[in-house]
């Protein structure tokens, strides 16, 4: 349910990028503006950085993937500030 973008762990919007030419498609159109063929819009746009991403990630997966970094940061902070 709680899916986020893999780049930022952020919310997203459906993209209108054609799966054939990665061109932005017009809303309510099935035609790719680049090759004028029928195309499916694919992927999502990250609300945080604006990147296009094909797949979303479960929030829990994203957190698990970033946990290591997080712990390293906390360890750094501890070394810096003592305790
Ligand atoms: Zn992002
Ligand atoms: Zn196309």
């Amino acid at each position: 349910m709680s899916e986020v973008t893999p780049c930022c762990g952020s919310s997203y919007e459906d993209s209108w990028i054609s799966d054939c030419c990665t061109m932005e498609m017009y809303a309510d159109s099935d035609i790719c503006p680049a090759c004028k063929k029928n195309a499916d819009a694919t992927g999502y746009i990250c609300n945080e950085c604006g990147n296009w991403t094909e797949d979303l990630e479960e929030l829990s997966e994203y957190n698990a993937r970033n946990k290591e970094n997080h712990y390293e940061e906390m360890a750094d902070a501890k070394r810096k500030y003592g305790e």
Side-chain angles (χ1 to χ4, degrees), residues 5 7-10 46 48-51:
T5 56
C7 49
C8 302
S10 166
C46 174
E48 183 71 25
C49 67
N51 267 351

Side-chain angles (χ1 to χ4, degrees), residues 7-78:
C7 49
C8 302
S10 166
S11 61
Y12 57 86
E13 281 171 18
D14 288 341
S15 87
W16 289 98
I17 308 293
S18 67
D19 56 1
C20 48
C21 305
T22 7
M23 280 287 293
E24 196 172 332
M25 292 167 55
Y26 304 112
D28 304 324
S29 164
D30 291 337
I31 307 297
C32 168
C35 64
K36 314 288 185 202
K37 287 181 186 156
N38 246 351
D40 286 323
T42 183
Y44 309 89
I45 304 289
C46 174
N47 276 339
E48 183 71 25
C49 67
N51 267 351
W52 176 87
T53 177
E54 185 166 15
D55 295 305
L56 295 171
E57 193 168 34
E58 283 288 321
L59 181 59
S60 54
E61 278 175 35
Y62 177 86
N63 286 338
R65 193 158 53 80
N66 285 277
K67 214 178 212 173
E68 215 168 296
N69 291 337
H70 184 61
Y71 280 140
E72 263 168 37
E73 270 169 36
M74 293 208 327
D76 274 353
K78 270 188 185 172

